[in-house]
Amino acid sequence: MTRTILLIDMNAFFASVEQAMNPALRGKPIIVCGRGRTVVTTASYEARVFGVKTGMNLYQAKQACPQVIAVEGDMSRYIDASHNIQRIAREFTDQVEMFSIDECFLDVSKTCRNEVDPQNIARAIKHTIREKLGVTCSIGIGPNKVVAKIASKMQKPDGLIEIREKDIPVLFALMAVQKLQGVGVGRHISEKLMSMGITTAGQLGNTPLEKLMHHFGIMGYRLKRIGEGKDDSPVDSSGGNELIKSVGHSHTFPRDTRDISIIRSYMMMLTEKVGLRLREYGLMGKTVYCTIRFGDFTSWGAQQGLKEHIRQNREIFFVAEQILARAFPLSKAVRLVGLSISDLKPRDTQQFLLKEMEKDTTLAEAVDDINKKYGVFTIKASSVILSEKFGIRPSCGMVSKQALKIKV
Amino acid sequence: MDTIIIDERIDVGAVFKKNIIKPRWFVWKGRKYAITEVTYTWEDTQGAARVMHFALSDGNTLFEVSLNLTSLEWRLEKSSVV
């Protein structure tokens, strides 16, 4: 059965939302940075012309484009825009998968069986997004998710490209393997492929499976399928209802620090956020992972497996502190800390034999209820105050798929 | 871009029509600001309360104003000039 998949890829998303919001920024080179931070999160297309890229620091961006305007980002604005994009997509099909905050797959196969041209659907989506949000997107159309994603990257900004099944062999024969980055062929893999003499997507598809399995293990099968332009993965419209494998948060400090009390305070803050989400999902975890990113962007990370599943803040922080102690003394200033808990299972609903354990649960639930009603950190551990004074951004770290979920 | 965080309660005159809220003016520190354009709106939550955010221009300055839909309190969050 032939499928028709669309990928909506928002163009320079955060920067475009800022330009839509502020007329004075439209048509100007801008960069979006975090509060008190100088790393470029997104550059507008006007800034990209001058060579400004994501990951540069403000100094490098100013060197490349002296007139560039730095704007402080606001994640709540981008999440809301992402929700609106989902709502628009759902006007065309109920098969919508929010792949990331600025990418969205649609399966319009059923609609297209009724002689509807998928390019007309794509044009209508682009028009609605521009009208309602004031931003542009590129849309790729293909017989599967991999090909739709490749198509979406072929024309930016404001592009619309359809790759039909019959066009794949000719197109892939000429397409460099580097162009497959973002669909499962990372930089290291494409470098390795090139060292093996595989320079185009078509060559990748024609390489014997045994050879790819020999060099890449089980990944070899996936690589061959990508090279052939094949992908059976469905558009997952469950909206983040898939199995949650881990719950985590990270936070970039307003400025780098070596102060252990501040780092501990941020870890406590992250513990409160992780614990709240864990209890919200009715889960408990058995492996705690802590990460530190230093000012020079090198990272350190360690994990600890536990004998029993945990879910209370006090328990999570106790383990996090033990892990963190392995990183001390710090050789460099720290810019980010992260905490996650995995090896999850549904929460036990057993009656506690010990009165103290039941007290802990009742207290945590009462605090969670208050924080859900009046806002995160309304009631918090006093040690979080230190990190609040140092600076906590309203929305920190990566945005989980759960946060992108909308009520349908 | 210079952005100033204000976070103060304000009085706002707004038109509520067909599920759309359009602020027309607001008073801050005794001065009335006439809004010439609502450039962007978005929503988030503060605890259980839904909060609507408005980016408003008076022709010179961009203001971010919020309306808590539970307490019906308007706040001037930020102002920015390029």
Side-chain angles (χ1 to χ4, degrees):
Chain A
M1 190 182 70
T2 313
R3 292 198 300 158
T4 308
I5 309 294
L6 270 61
L7 176 67
I8 304 171
D9 187 353
M10 302 309 297
N11 302 138
F13 186 45
F14 297 175
S16 298
V17 169
E18 294 302 328
Q19 287 176 317
M21 187 185 87
N22 191 343
L25 299 176
R26 292 175 199 163
K28 291 183 182 165
I30 73 158
I31 50 173
V32 178
C33 306
R35 185 181 294 173
R37 275 290 165 187
T38 59
V39 175
V40 176
T41 309
T42 315
S44 69
Y45 279 93
E46 295 86 351
R48 290 179 194 194
V49 170
F50 293 89
V52 180
K53 290 176 189 164
T54 299
M56 278 183 167
N57 61 40
L58 187 57
Y59 175 77
Q60 290 167 322
K62 287 266 184 199
Q63 287 284 104
C65 177
Q67 68 273 37
V68 77
I69 301 164
V71 178
E72 185 188 297
D74 183 334
M75 198 51 80
S76 72
R77 214 150 40 223
Y78 313 140
I79 291 172
D80 181 76
S82 186
H83 287 167
N84 283 325
I85 291 159
Q86 267 184 89
R87 287 187 192 103
I88 292 167
R90 285 185 188 277
E91 289 172 18
F92 296 87
T93 173
D94 58 348
Q95 298 295 302
V96 175
E97 176 185 344
M98 215 58 205
F99 188 62
S100 67
I101 193 165
D102 61 350
E103 288 175 307
C104 178
F105 282 111
L106 288 77
D107 187 337
V108 293
S109 308
K110 284 182 196 164
T111 318
C112 293
R113 247 172 256 152
N114 301 325
E115 301 295 310
V116 176
D117 184 347
Q119 290 196 26
N120 284 342
I121 299 175
R123 272 189 279 272
I125 292 171
K126 283 166 70 70
H127 174 77
T128 313
I129 290 175
R130 199 183 303 115
E131 283 290 302
K132 289 193 175 170
L133 300 176
V135 296
T136 62
C137 63
S138 292
I139 297 187
I141 306 170
N144 56 54
K145 286 162 81 173
V146 162
V147 176
K149 182 142 179 153
I150 290 169
S152 74
K153 295 194 179 301
M154 289 171 72
Q155 194 179 57
K156 283 190 169 187
D158 205 13
L160 170 53
I161 296 283
E162 180 176 8
I163 302 175
R164 295 184 179 88
E165 193 110 45
K166 64 180 173 59
D167 303 327
I168 293 172
V170 177
L171 187 74
F172 275 36
L174 301 168
M175 187 186 291
V177 282
Q178 294 99 316
K179 296 274 181 192
L180 299 175
Q181 282 180 21
V183 295
V185 183
R187 191 165 55 87
H188 293 298
I189 293 176
S190 67
E191 280 169 7
K192 192 169 175 184
L193 287 170
M194 285 197 291
S195 73
M196 291 162 63
I198 302 168
T199 57
T200 68
Q203 286 173 349
L204 178 61
N206 291 329
T207 304
L209 180 60
E210 299 72 37
K211 187 175 177 183
L212 291 173
M213 298 278 272
H214 173 73
H215 286 279
F216 299 99
I218 191 74
M219 180 71 188
Y221 176 73
R222 170 98 178 122
L223 289 173
K224 178 149 177 83
R225 300 272 296 164
I226 292 169
E228 291 170 338
K230 291 178 182 166
D231 174 27
D232 296 326
S233 61
V235 169
D236 177 11
S237 54
S238 63
N241 282 340
E242 73 272 18
L243 195 66
I244 298 168
K245 291 176 185 154
S246 68
V247 176
H249 278 282
S250 63
H251 195 101
T252 305
F253 305 154
R255 56 192 180 279
D256 299 351
T257 182
R258 299 173 80 128
D259 188 329
I260 292 168
S261 57
I262 288 172
I263 295 165
R264 282 185 75 249
S265 175
Y266 274 97
M267 194 52 84
M268 187 68 221
M269 181 272 285
L270 292 175
T271 300
E272 299 224 337
K273 293 187 82 147
V274 168
L276 177 65
R277 271 179 62 208
L278 205 58
R279 292 185 294 275
E280 217 170 73
Y281 302 154
L283 296 169
M284 48 209 296
K286 222 166 85 162
T287 302
V288 178
Y289 178 79
C290 293
T291 184
I292 288 175
R293 190 174 300 149
F294 298 102
D296 61 1
F297 284 87
T298 56
S299 295
W300 174 92
Q303 67 178 38
Q304 193 166 312
L306 306 168
K307 282 182 184 162
E308 289 181 1
H309 286 78
I310 56 171
R311 56 194 285 269
Q312 303 298 354
N313 296 354
R314 198 166 47 83
E315 299 167 316
I316 301 167
F317 185 66
F318 180 73
V319 181
E321 262 206 312
Q322 286 181 336
I323 299 170
L324 214 53
R326 297 184 219 162
F328 299 145
L330 295 165
S331 53
K332 293 172 272 191
V334 175
R335 68 172 272 123
L336 171 147
V337 286
L339 170 73
S340 70
I341 185 158
S342 56
D343 205 351
L344 305 176
K345 72 162 193 175
R347 170 199 165 179
D348 291 334
T349 49
Q350 68 187 40
Q351 290 291 313
F352 292 108
L353 294 173
L354 299 171
K355 204 82 182 152
E356 281 307 306
M357 287 171 78
E358 199 171 345
K359 265 189 195 170
D360 263 6
T361 305
T362 312
L363 177 64
E365 282 171 0
V367 170
D368 289 351
D369 285 346
I370 291 167
N371 285 338
K372 271 185 226 163
K373 185 164 183 183
Y374 297 102
V376 71
F377 303 136
T378 301
I379 293 190
K380 59 194 167 256
S382 57
S383 52
V384 174
I385 292 169
L386 195 58
S387 59
E388 276 188 327
K389 284 183 179 164
F390 201 68
I392 294 177
R393 286 180 290 134
S395 180
C396 57
M398 289 173 70
V399 178
S400 76
K401 282 201 172 182
Q402 297 292 323
L404 299 177
K405 197 170 159 182
I406 56 167
K407 282 178 189 157
V408 184
Chain B
M1 193 170 75
D2 293 324
T3 300
I4 303 162
I5 295 172
I6 298 162
D7 192 24
E8 285 178 29
R9 193 176 172 158
I10 52 167
D11 291 331
V12 177
V15 175
F16 290 66
K17 199 175 176 183
K18 289 182 185 170
N19 266 341
I20 294 172
I21 305 168
K22 278 196 174 173
R24 297 288 196 207
W25 52 259
F26 67 88
V27 178
W28 179 47
K29 292 195 187 297
R31 185 182 154 190
K32 188 174 178 178
Y33 293 80
I35 295 154
T36 55
E37 192 185 355
V38 180
T39 60
Y40 202 82
T41 60
W42 71 101
E43 269 188 49
D44 67 358
T45 53
Q46 281 169 15
R50 270 172 66 208
V51 179
M52 286 198 71
H53 298 266
F54 303 86
L56 310 172
S57 173
D58 69 346
N60 300 309
T61 307
L62 190 77
F63 299 96
E64 280 183 46
V65 166
S66 69
L67 170 64
N68 184 312
L69 295 174
T70 300
S71 64
L72 298 180
E73 181 180 84
W74 289 90
R75 295 190 81 82
L76 176 57
E77 306 282 352
K78 296 173 192 174
S79 76
S80 45
V81 182
V82 174

